[in-house]
Amino acid sequence: MNIHEFLKQYGCEIIEPQDNQKIQALYNSLDMSSDKFSVSTRKEPDYFRFLKYAAEKYYAIGFPNAQGALEGMVSLIVRPCYLDGKLDVVGHFLDLRFIRKRDRTITAEWKPLGRGFTRGGRDVDELDGCNIFHGSYIATNIYATQSIGEDSKSKPAADKAAKREATPKPNKEKPPREKREEAFLVSNLATYQSINLFARKPQKAMGFGSFKKSGKRFVVSRGEEQDREPLKAFLDQQNRLRAFGYVFAKEQGELERRFRDWDGFSMSSFFIARDEARNIVGTFGAFDPIKGRQIYIDKIPSEKALIAKVGKVVGLKIPEPNKKIEILYLTTFELDHGCSHEERLDVLDALLDGLYKSGLPKEYHMVSFCDYNKQSLLEVVESGYLYDATPVMLYQIYAPGESAVYREDDLNYSPGHEMVLM
């Protein structure tokens, strides 16, 4: 079955690049709000430019009303990956957005479509046999939690279930009713925090706050063309050990794709850490996605107001309400799996020192990267940087009875995932 026939069953359709304005009209009308501030994300002028950052193969899916305007959307990227050390394919959903239910004229919804993908995605011609689908959301976003669901086998959910069992219930007979088919189940792949570094603490900026946990020395340099093949080999070796790791080894693999499709991304974007034997033990590539995605905030949260005032005094670049926030993301981020925890802390510390000595962060409001709870490196951040952290959940959706289900507790390493691309 082709993807157009598949989607038609669920009241949705592929939105092509020539219909970019349809996506923009819906996407730009919905903000992410909290009780303290509102964040607006834009993907202008071309929504599809950002999808091209994410993967070679992508689909924007729209839920149109009778007049052709979109009342809902979700996008899907499909990419090669490593799974149990072998080549496979994984799909990732992003930008799941619907107008408020009370304002909709359509009856089509996200969950039946999600159910369709988990049961029949592998039979859709364009998806290359893709059978596993995941996505992510900010953990405090209650609307996302309601739209996706929670892992019934995670500890908090299990605790809730136990509490419900322990609570006595009145013995009331209810007439039997037909059991509704479950849309899909959810497993927690990874819990992590989006870390935003605003500045170095004074002692760190003066060079007095270096980590020396492992007693080993690591040297950091900017990437050069001669580093390309060793870097590619390191990245691929790291990702082979991850669930859903990116495939770097192919001649036209993920590294070449990023150089081709990411604006301004090149070997010089990389900071590479080596040990005394000149082996690569860590790296990240600095990337600014602002040509594909822009983020705005309506006001500075009150708890960040003092940092903002002090920052202005010392010449830091401070975000302004309703103007683009300029964020430098640390992507393609790998610390050698063979390193001890103490060595990993020292390698990250050395990499961040190299980044700040380069002067790059001065051009941005913040530096952002992903810290996985299972292998957290927050010690380095807490000791030397002013920062904030936003909790995020990476999840898998799957059909009841599916055997290929992955969970954070069962994985040795965090799964292959790029926060900046979601």
Side-chain angles (χ1 to χ4, degrees):
M1 180 186 300
N2 69 48
I3 195 164
H4 301 282
E5 295 169 335
F6 174 79
L7 294 177
K8 191 176 181 180
Q9 303 173 94
Y10 302 100
C12 51
E13 62 188 23
I14 296 292
I15 303 298
E16 303 290 354
Q18 60 265 30
D19 293 318
N20 174 56
Q21 287 309 117
K22 283 187 177 183
I23 291 259
Q24 298 288 355
L26 175 65
Y27 194 89
N28 293 346
S29 69
L30 302 172
D31 296 335
M32 294 178 289
S33 300
S34 76
D35 57 346
K36 297 179 181 178
F37 58 89
S38 177
V39 175
S40 301
T41 303
R42 301 285 184 267
K43 293 183 177 178
E44 297 175 330
D46 181 9
Y47 176 82
F48 294 86
R49 186 173 194 159
F50 185 82
L51 290 184
K52 195 173 182 182
Y53 287 166
E56 188 82 40
K57 181 173 283 192
Y58 51 80
Y59 300 97
I61 301 168
F63 291 76
N65 61 22
Q67 290 73 43
L70 299 183
E71 296 189 6
M73 65 171 287
V74 66
S75 289
L76 172 66
I77 66 167
V78 181
R79 65 171 176 86
C81 71
Y82 288 118
L83 199 50
D84 301 322
K86 299 175 183 177
L87 283 174
D88 211 311
V89 182
V90 65
H92 186 100
F93 292 109
L94 64 154
D95 292 342
L96 173 60
R97 297 187 174 208
F98 275 80
I99 65 174
R100 293 178 301 182
K101 200 161 189 176
R102 68 188 185 197
D103 296 330
R104 290 181 216 161
T105 62
I106 61 174
T107 57
E109 295 181 289
W110 148 248
K111 284 196 171 181
L113 177 62
R115 179 175 64 230
F117 272 113
T118 61
R119 287 157 174 76
R122 72 186 78 193
D123 300 321
V124 176
D125 300 337
E126 292 85 349
L127 301 191
D128 304 327
C130 183
N131 184 43
I132 295 180
F133 300 91
H134 52 56
S136 61
Y137 59 76
I138 295 173
T140 54
N141 185 339
I142 60 171
Y143 301 108
T145 307
Q146 290 169 355
S147 297
I148 302 300
E150 296 180 282
D151 188 340
S152 62
K153 294 187 179 180
S154 68
K155 192 173 187 305
D159 287 347
K160 288 178 190 174
K163 192 173 181 180
R164 284 196 299 268
E165 278 300 314
T167 304
K169 299 176 183 177
N171 186 20
K172 291 184 179 179
E173 293 281 341
K174 287 187 178 181
R177 62 180 179 181
E178 185 180 348
K179 187 179 180 182
R180 186 179 177 184
E181 183 185 12
E182 244 173 323
F184 49 73
L185 301 176
V186 176
S187 65
N188 293 347
L189 279 173
T191 48
Y192 67 87
Q193 296 188 86
S194 171
I195 304 296
N196 296 314
L197 306 180
F198 300 114
R200 292 177 290 178
K201 290 181 178 178
Q203 73 272 19
K204 185 67 172 172
M206 291 186 289
F208 300 130
S210 294
F211 256 62
K212 299 286 184 190
K213 292 279 187 177
S214 69
K216 294 186 178 180
R217 181 171 175 268
F218 302 103
V219 177
V220 174
S221 60
R222 296 290 289 269
E224 299 179 1
E225 191 54 40
Q226 66 192 28
D227 300 316
R228 183 188 290 248
E229 291 306 316
L231 178 65
K232 189 194 297 187
F234 172 73
L235 292 172
D236 196 73
Q237 181 183 40
Q238 289 281 115
N239 277 268
R240 281 178 184 269
L241 298 177
R242 298 186 185 279
F244 316 114
Y246 285 85
V247 179
F248 288 92
K250 296 193 301 185
E251 187 174 336
Q252 294 299 317
E254 184 64 16
L255 188 61
E256 285 80 8
R257 191 194 72 78
R258 294 183 183 192
F259 288 154
R260 182 183 69 246
D261 293 340
W262 291 13
D263 294 294
F265 196 65
S266 67
M267 279 302 302
S268 64
S269 303
F270 280 92
F271 290 78
I272 302 172
R274 289 179 169 87
D275 61 17
E276 292 179 343
R278 300 294 297 163
N279 297 312
I280 296 177
V281 291
T283 188
F284 53 62
F287 175 53
D288 176 8
I290 202 163
K291 290 184 178 180
R293 181 183 67 196
Q294 307 83 38
I295 296 175
Y296 302 79
I297 191 168
D298 67 345
K299 63 181 178 180
I300 303 297
S302 56
E303 67 270 20
K304 298 292 186 298
L306 180 59
I307 294 176
K309 287 179 182 178
V310 173
K312 281 185 178 179
V313 171
V314 299
L316 294 177
K317 198 166 184 174
I318 304 301
E320 295 183 45
N322 302 312
K323 292 189 177 180
K324 294 175 188 175
I325 302 176
E326 296 176 22
I327 307 173
L328 185 65
Y329 289 88
L330 306 185
T331 70
T332 326
F333 193 156
E334 295 289 345
L335 302 179
D336 192 343
H337 296 318
C339 287
S340 67
H341 177 65
E342 290 75 18
E343 289 167 344
R344 288 167 62 84
L345 293 173
D346 286 350
V347 172
L348 175 59
D349 185 60
L351 284 167
L352 289 176
D353 279 346
L355 174 70
Y356 276 86
K357 285 175 184 175
S358 76
L360 262 180
K362 290 181 181 178
E363 301 173 24
Y364 295 88
H365 294 118
M366 62 190 73
V367 173
S368 187
F369 69 96
C370 188
D371 183 65
Y372 291 94
N373 293 7
K374 191 164 186 175
Q375 293 178 295
S376 179
L377 302 163
L378 210 53
E379 283 180 63
V380 174
V381 175
E382 290 174 336
S383 70
Y385 298 86
L386 300 175
Y387 77 101
D388 70 11
T390 302
V392 184
M393 175 66 68
L394 181 67
Y395 61 87
Q396 177 187 346
I397 63 171
Y398 63 96
E402 174 62 58
S403 59
V405 179
Y406 294 81
R407 283 189 167 82
E408 182 174 37
D409 291 344
D410 301 326
L411 301 177
N412 293 322
Y413 310 105
S414 56
H417 175 58
E418 277 286 6
M419 179 183 71
V420 67
L421 300 179
M422 304 307 145

